Amino acid sequence: MALVSYATRNPGKQLPSITGIGAMGWTGDNAQDSELLLALYYSNLLAISRETPPSAFVLAKDGDDITFRANDVVWRLIGDRSVAQERVKDITSGFKTRLGPQGATAREAVALLTDEIEVANITSYLNGLLTRRYGYPEVPETRRKELTDIIRKGFNHGYTAGQMITFVWRAADSAAAWKERNARMGPPEAASASVTTLNGKIDKAIELHHAVPEYEVPRWHSAPLALSSLRRLAADIRRVYNREVIEACAHCDHIGLKEVVHPETESTAMGRCTHAVEIPAQAREEEPNWWDDAPDPADV
């Protein structure tokens, strides 16, 4: 979905290689990006673009075939844009309406992947803030697992991505101020202290129920390219299953199902309603976050 969105917003351009889009890539994990792109390639949904540099190709070990380095390949979608967009509609509809354990598992996978990318995005912002603004090193390797757990704790307590940006900005600023007051503290210690400070600020806000504003990331920060698409998909899924939206919809029953006609057999069955009608504003207040109108990945 993110690849199609990127291609739609950048007509005439090929999909960039993993090495050509920066450290955060599509999902914040280059190894995962490579695995996902190869899966799409072997499913005949992606092809290698002619714009791929020759250096991306190498002779196989037996010398009888040519292979490619997945991270260096420039990709293109197979089929025209309209076909790809129809495929995205089908994918989106499947995530929203698929019934049974398979549907639930697919939606859980979307939620987990979105959470992982959100955590990676906030981690990247903190490291960028330390290196760009303060000239410190990134968070020490020994504390990165702890940092991930702290960021996840903030999200689990309901703080939005914009509020997490606020926490991180304040934590880095406090750690820098502490360094200035302590001559013995060096940049590595300040970078490490930002993790401790972030944990303290989140815990205090949770305990005292402080109001936390939402900040947007600065232009220098490069979020994972798939993040906007995942956010929108997750929001669409939540809307379909939101109790207030179901109660406000005149087309479905109390659990969000309605009668549907199978397009081939013309038989009638119960299917998930997507609430295509406009729902009153008060019934959609669970989606007030600043990223609802975030630009498509192509705008990054």
Side-chain angles (χ1 to χ4, degrees):
M1 294 175 66
L3 296 175
V4 172
S5 180
Y6 185 98
T8 302
R9 293 297 187 92
N10 292 271
K13 292 185 178 181
Q14 302 299 337
L15 302 171
S17 65
I18 293 176
T19 56
I21 56 176
M24 295 303 289
W26 293 97
T27 67
D29 183 336
N30 285 342
Q32 180 172 243
D33 289 351
S34 180
E35 179 181 346
L36 295 175
L37 290 171
L38 283 174
L40 293 172
Y41 171 75
Y42 290 121
S43 299
N44 295 319
L45 295 173
L46 286 182
I48 297 175
S49 169
R50 293 181 179 180
E51 297 182 7
T52 298
S55 59
F57 300 96
V58 294
L59 284 174
K61 292 182 179 180
D62 56 16
D64 294 332
D65 200 2
I66 295 177
T67 63
F68 59 88
R69 298 186 181 94
N71 286 8
D72 299 330
V73 168
V74 178
W75 303 96
R76 65 175 177 85
L77 294 170
I78 293 181
D80 60 25
R81 188 188 309 171
S82 61
V83 171
Q85 290 173 331
E86 284 300 317
R87 184 177 294 123
V88 166
K89 290 181 181 179
D90 291 341
I91 293 171
T92 304
S93 177
F95 277 121
K96 292 192 294 185
T97 63
R98 193 180 308 163
L99 301 176
Q102 290 183 334
T105 300
R107 286 184 286 274
E108 183 180 2
V110 170
L112 290 174
L113 179 58
T114 305
D115 289 345
E116 289 178 7
I117 300 177
E118 292 283 11
V119 171
N121 184 50
I122 299 300
T123 300
S124 174
Y125 172 65
L126 175 57
N127 284 326
L129 195 61
L130 293 172
T131 58
R132 284 174 172 267
R133 176 164 183 168
Y134 300 105
Y136 300 162
E138 294 185 351
V139 171
E141 184 71 32
T142 54
R143 303 207 65 183
R144 291 184 183 178
K145 173 62 168 60
E146 179 185 358
L147 173 61
T148 297
D149 292 340
I150 292 169
I151 294 172
R152 187 169 284 115
K153 175 177 64 178
F155 279 120
N156 289 341
H157 276 82
Y159 292 110
T160 66
Q163 290 173 316
M164 292 301 296
I165 293 296
T166 302
F167 281 128
V168 167
W169 186 89
R170 290 175 175 176
D173 189 66
S174 296
W178 186 31
K179 175 184 176 298
E180 293 302 316
R181 294 193 302 267
N182 294 269
R184 296 182 179 179
M185 176 183 286
E189 289 77 14
S192 179
S194 68
V195 178
T196 304
T197 306
L198 176 62
N199 187 50
K201 290 186 179 297
I202 292 175
D203 283 346
K204 186 175 182 180
I206 293 171
E207 178 184 359
L208 301 179
H209 303 284
H210 283 167
V212 181
E214 293 186 320
Y215 287 173
E216 294 190 24
V217 292
R219 292 184 179 274
W220 55 258
H221 174 68
S222 297
L225 293 183
L227 182 54
S228 292
S229 292
L230 263 293
R231 282 172 172 171
R232 278 189 291 273
L233 176 59
D236 287 344
I237 292 173
R238 288 198 302 270
R239 181 179 183 275
V240 169
Y241 293 85
N242 180 271
R243 173 53 53 189
E244 292 181 340
V245 175
I246 291 174
E247 292 175 352
C249 180
H251 301 277
C252 62
D253 61 17
H254 66 287
I255 59 174
L257 299 179
K258 69 174 183 179
E259 288 190 358
V260 295
V261 178
H262 194 280
E264 297 179 359
T265 64
E266 296 186 354
S267 60
T268 302
M270 298 300 291
R272 179 65 57 185
C273 179
T274 57
H275 323 301
V277 297
E278 182 65 23
I279 304 298
Q282 63 269 21
R284 294 188 287 116
E285 289 181 353
E286 75 151 2
E287 306 296 341
N289 299 323
W290 60 271
W291 64 67
D292 287 347
D293 298 320
D296 215 73
D299 296 335
V300 174

